[in-house]
Amino acid sequence: MTAIQASVLTTFLGGRALSASKTAQLLANAQQIAPQVNAVTTRWVHWVQTDTAPIADTNAKLQALLTYGEPSVAATGELIVVMPRLGTVSPWASKATDIAHNCLSDCGLHIHRVERALHYIFTLKNPLIGKAVVKPE
């Protein structure tokens, strides 16, 4: 019988995923489909899989390592998450995991994988009053 080793998944919010011009283009396209869309925000979210929870010092190092690009702005609304399929390892994850191993080898933390997901947050006009929703179409 094989023992299953537990792992810890730590989440780190990242910077803006799309440039201002690409975000504006996305907003215009979204408003053609759903006029109730008022704004679009994008951000990277990083997941780090380790054997144990990182201590505060290591957590700070991971946050610094995963901080790049323009900062994202806080937003609330309808969330759509785009990430690699389960069971696959993206090229970004392979390189990021290698970099994390090299940068944090002295921390005593075994990093299994670093992956990122893209969050699209659609803010809607009057979502509470009109109970506006974004339809899957």
Side-chain angles (χ1 to χ4, degrees):
M1 186 166 131
T2 305
I4 298 175
Q5 185 170 357
S7 62
V8 176
L9 190 64
T10 308
T11 303
F12 296 90
L13 294 180
R16 186 177 356 178
L18 298 179
S19 67
S21 62
K22 290 210 182 250
T23 301
Q25 183 181 15
L26 177 61
L27 175 60
N29 291 342
Q31 287 175 329
Q32 287 179 354
I33 298 166
Q36 71 268 32
V37 174
N38 192 40
V40 178
T41 304
T42 62
R43 69 174 172 228
W44 293 115
V45 177
H46 304 92
W47 297 323
V48 179
Q49 181 185 13
T50 56
D51 284 341
T52 59
I55 60 173
D57 183 46
T58 306
N59 225 20
K61 289 178 182 179
L62 280 166
Q63 182 64 59
L65 186 63
L66 297 170
T67 300
Y68 54 90
E70 294 181 41
S72 65
V73 295
T76 58
E78 299 291 326
L79 174 65
I80 297 175
V81 179
V82 178
M83 59 186 236
R85 289 182 301 201
L86 292 176
T88 63
V89 178
S90 71
W92 187 93
S94 295
K95 186 53 97 176
T97 303
D98 288 346
I99 291 169
H101 280 285
N102 291 333
C103 292
L104 301 171
S105 61
D106 61 338
C107 293
L109 182 68
H110 182 69
I111 298 172
H112 293 284
R113 182 174 174 182
V114 179
E115 187 57 89
R116 71 178 177 179
L118 174 54
H119 281 190
Y120 291 97
I121 303 158
F122 292 89
T123 305
L124 307 177
K125 298 175 186 172
N126 304 319
L128 294 177
I129 298 169
K131 297 191 183 206
V133 295
V134 175
K135 295 178 184 174
E137 301 85 1

